[in-house]
Amino acid sequence: MRVLGIETSCDETGVAVYDHRQGLLAHTLYSQIGVHAEFGGVVPELASRDHVRKTVPLVAETLERAGLQGRDIDGVAYTAGPGLVGALLVGAAIGRSLAWGWGVPAVPVHHMEGHLLAPMLEEPRPGFPFVALLVSGGHTQLVEVQSVGRYRMLGDSLDDAAGEAFDKTAKLLGLPYPGGPELARLAEKGRPDRFRFPRPMTDRPGLDFSFSGLKTFALHTLQRELADAEIPTQEREQIKADIAYAFEQAVVETLVIKCRRALDETGSRTLVLAGGVSANRRLRERMREAIAGEAGEVFYPRPEYCTDNGAMIAFAGAQRLLGGQQEPLRFAVDPRWRLVDLPAIDRRR
Amino acid sequence: MTKILAIETAGPGCSAALWVDGEVEERFELKPRGHSELILGMMQRLLAQAGLRLTQLDALGFSRGPGSFTGVRIATGVIQGAAFAAELPVVPVSTLAALAQGCCRETAARRILCALDARMGELYWGAYGLRADGLVELIGREQVAPADEVELPEGDGWHGVGSGWAAFGDALARRMGPALEATDASRLCRARDVVVLAAAGHLAGHGVSAAEALPVYLRDRVATPKR
């Protein structure tokens, strides 16, 4: 089965074709970062407007790259939530209508399920069951994955998602939007032992997260360290790099501690990292060091499948279509769709 | 035989209409926020009833705005997808023009002032005249502006239509004075009028590709840059 996947939940338009026998045949991505940069964050209305301009051209380009015609497509998957309602609606309208026009089934896909299953686009792929850490600008969740659609929420963020904390802290440090990856770059220049930030909620049982305090801690550290106006520019920059380092380290170590705990609690030996923040180099390295070997195996997709993309939607959609799920002749989106509300698919592949 | 399917979801109504050589069949339902549930089914039933497949059509039309941003994008997305899949040309039709066309279909009006409530104290506004061939044409330009700033047309015998006449009727009537003959604030844009204008556009060679079938919002300043 060849499935066209469309992702438009936030500020990236992604389109891909996945074939359940041949794997990923083509994928394209258009990032709106340039559209939103001058506003310091994603403007939902502008995001919707850009998706309307970009989706169909990307569908055409993706088919061309795959050497396919519309009639070669057996199903269409589109992200139906969670995300920005207007942005989601664009992808859903186009995706559902394409499927109608081609006379093939369509299926709405949960954005986080897409992330969760993305490591299965790679070889070797993780086998069920596994524990997944979903870390992005909107989510920090630990999920036990028994099979497609059988998810148990183990832990969730009580306030800011990890990626959100990265972006907000980057802003405090004066880094350009979107700040997360910039902060990680700055942290490379930081001195390891200059500051030590707390590891929130690791001193008590449980798998929930809280990252908003770290952002505040960074702010106070910054204010205290730079209070003296006499500090030369170069030293100020070094202090910022040191803060970036300590912040990133605190987030990473907190995630590592919770992941080990989740593996212990579930008895699972397989950990999957997914979501935009899982592209973070330090997180990948530390997770491998801490977990691979002794406690189990760590899987993560290549960075282009960590951030939002159409490939993961095509893949998750294919699993659901192969499992017999399809949408009637209508479309709907749910900006607050909960992962645990997804129906289970019994087919295993 | 010329066969065209057009849709309208920019307002509170949801409708689809099929044109076959001047004969029009329409499905209409008043269901705000229900457009995404209804529209594809309406299109499907119109085709089935006429014994047609999507690929047998000559073109698709849609109400391209101005109107509810979300509603306009639903119509745009649905038509882009269908047009791409069936490799059909698309004729974008102004929501205001179709509103005026509907007024001329049902009344003796020949000069129509369309006003849709654009919220934020503004109107989507356009003046239309009925031509000898039975189609409306824009006089001046479409605009988004407060009721006391919209550009008024010359002449008299104007019929005001659309939700803007409910929201800003007094201010508009005051400015128009005796040039305003009648108003109907409850009139909605309908696919049966979109399809008439789309058919004319198609016959005049105004079709575009699926990727070029884009909304017209009129209101383009939707965010303020930082700093």
Side-chain angles (χ1 to χ4, degrees):
Chain A
M1 171 175 269
R2 253 183 227 137
V3 178
L4 179 90
I6 299 175
E7 154 65 31
T8 64
S9 67
C10 188
D11 61 347
E12 265 150 331
T13 318
V15 177
V17 179
Y18 174 80
D19 181 303
H20 85 285
R21 288 200 184 83
Q22 297 170 276
L24 193 67
L25 301 182
H27 79 118
T28 55
L29 187 78
Y30 167 77
S31 169
Q32 301 178 352
I33 283 179
V35 173
H36 305 289
E38 62 174 317
F39 302 102
V42 177
V43 180
E45 176 58 23
L46 294 182
S48 304
R49 290 185 178 199
D50 224 28
H51 288 306
V52 167
R53 284 189 291 265
K54 294 301 189 311
T55 307
V56 166
L58 281 189
V59 169
E61 191 185 331
T62 309
L63 288 174
E64 198 182 315
R65 279 194 201 176
L68 298 174
Q69 306 271 316
R71 63 173 172 276
D72 301 320
I73 299 297
D74 305 307
V76 178
Y78 48 86
T79 309
L84 302 171
V85 65
L88 290 165
L89 260 175
V90 172
I94 294 172
R96 185 67 194 86
S97 181
L98 271 173
W100 175 65
W102 283 330
V104 299
V107 69
V109 169
H110 190 289
H111 180 79
M112 299 314 288
E113 178 172 71
H115 278 304
L116 205 63
L117 302 180
M120 301 180 89
L121 283 161
E122 305 283 14
E123 292 293 344
R125 57 163 70 183
F128 296 121
F130 57 78
V131 168
L133 172 69
L134 293 172
V135 267
S136 69
H139 295 81
T140 310
Q141 297 177 329
L142 272 164
V143 184
E144 184 182 26
V145 179
Q146 284 134 12
S147 63
V148 177
R150 286 210 167 80
Y151 307 128
R152 186 163 70 94
M153 197 60 67
L154 301 171
D156 206 339
S157 175
L158 304 180
D159 41 56
D160 289 357
E164 196 179 355
F166 261 90
D167 288 342
K168 288 178 175 173
T169 304
K171 210 169 183 174
L172 294 177
L173 294 172
L175 298 171
Y177 167 87
E182 294 284 337
L183 187 145
R185 255 190 296 279
L186 182 62
E188 304 270 338
K189 298 180 203 149
R191 293 169 296 192
D193 300 318
R194 187 68 179 71
F195 301 111
R196 191 179 189 285
F197 279 34
R199 275 66 168 144
M201 299 186 70
T202 53
D203 57 350
R204 68 200 88 165
L207 295 167
D208 287 336
F209 304 94
S210 166
F211 290 112
S212 72
L214 273 183
K215 171 196 64 192
T216 313
F217 197 89
L219 175 65
H220 291 159
T221 309
L222 188 69
Q223 286 169 341
R224 186 185 67 232
E225 297 295 322
L226 299 185
D228 180 358
E230 305 285 291
I231 302 172
T233 310
Q234 203 182 345
E235 177 58 16
R236 298 180 92 85
E237 292 311 306
Q238 183 59 52
I239 289 170
K240 286 184 183 175
D242 296 342
I243 290 174
Y245 182 96
F247 171 83
E248 182 182 58
Q249 186 185 41
V251 174
V252 166
E253 293 309 320
T254 303
L255 293 172
V256 168
I257 292 165
K258 298 278 173 156
C259 284
R260 291 183 72 141
R261 207 179 271 179
L263 290 175
D264 284 347
E265 285 188 16
T266 56
S268 176
R269 289 182 45 80
T270 308
L271 178 73
V272 161
L273 298 186
V277 178
S278 70
N280 180 282
R281 195 181 56 78
R282 177 103 64 101
L283 177 66
R284 290 174 171 232
E285 283 174 11
R286 278 293 297 131
M287 211 58 98
R288 267 244 151 110
E289 279 170 26
I291 287 163
E294 166 221 347
E297 285 185 287
V298 182
F299 292 85
Y300 40 74
R302 70 193 75 176
E304 63 193 293
Y305 301 153
C306 288
T307 44
D308 292 354
N309 66 86
M312 66 183 195
I313 302 305
F315 179 82
Q319 309 312 306
R320 293 199 163 270
L321 287 165
L322 287 165
Q325 191 186 330
Q326 36 175 296
E327 184 77 343
L329 194 50
R330 57 188 283 277
F331 53 95
V333 301
D334 182 351
R336 288 184 233 290
W337 199 1
R338 296 181 337 142
L339 194 59
V340 292
D341 291 340
L342 289 178
I345 292 293
D346 284 318
R347 183 186 187 284
R348 284 194 185 188
R349 68 162 305 263
Chain B
M1 265 211 315
T2 305
K3 303 171 289 293
I4 292 168
L5 182 66
I7 62 173
E8 140 57 37
T9 62
C14 177
S15 55
L18 179 66
W19 155 296
V20 181
D21 276 347
E23 292 296 313
V24 178
E25 280 292 323
E26 188 196 46
R27 301 282 170 134
F28 172 85
E29 211 169 308
L30 188 60
K31 193 176 177 191
R33 286 185 290 282
H35 302 351
S36 63
E37 279 168 42
L38 297 172
I39 193 65
L40 283 163
M42 286 179 170
M43 295 163 77
Q44 172 73 27
R45 282 193 297 279
L46 282 169
L47 290 177
Q49 194 186 355
L52 290 172
R53 279 176 292 118
L54 182 65
T55 50
Q56 291 176 300
L57 296 175
D58 297 291
L60 296 172
F62 74 109
S63 170
R64 52 79 162 149
S68 136
F69 293 165
T70 297
V72 168
R73 277 193 290 268
I74 287 175
T76 307
V78 166
I79 287 301
Q80 284 182 346
F84 184 85
E87 297 177 25
L88 293 173
V90 180
V91 185
V93 172
S94 159
T95 307
L96 297 172
L99 182 64
Q101 189 69 38
C103 179
C104 293
R105 170 171 50 79
E106 287 188 355
T107 74
R110 303 186 62 83
R111 288 176 157 184
I112 305 93
L113 271 179
C114 296
L116 294 173
D117 185 357
R119 317 229 175 236
M120 301 167 75
E122 293 188 316
L123 294 166
Y124 297 125
W125 176 261
Y128 290 85
L130 183 64
R131 294 190 314 215
D133 63 0
L135 300 174
V136 295
E137 81 180 336
L138 180 64
I139 298 167
R141 60 186 185 112
E142 295 186 342
Q143 53 186 300
V144 59
D148 52 6
E149 288 176 24
V150 292
E151 292 162 15
L152 300 185
E154 292 174 4
D156 53 15
W158 289 98
H159 287 242
V161 297
S163 58
W165 291 91
F168 302 98
D170 293 346
L172 291 171
R174 218 169 19 245
R175 289 190 63 200
M176 287 298 291
L180 185 67
E181 193 166 303
T183 60
D184 178 2
S186 62
R187 176 171 292 281
L188 300 177
C189 179
R190 298 280 293 246
R192 63 161 60 247
D193 302 304
V194 176
V195 85
V196 166
L197 292 168
H202 170 68
L203 295 172
H206 294 163
V208 299
S209 72
E212 297 163 324
L214 294 170
V216 171
Y217 303 102
L218 292 187
R219 178 177 286 147
D220 289 321
R221 271 183 316 170
V222 293
T224 318
K226 289 239 162 156
R227 285 185 292 267

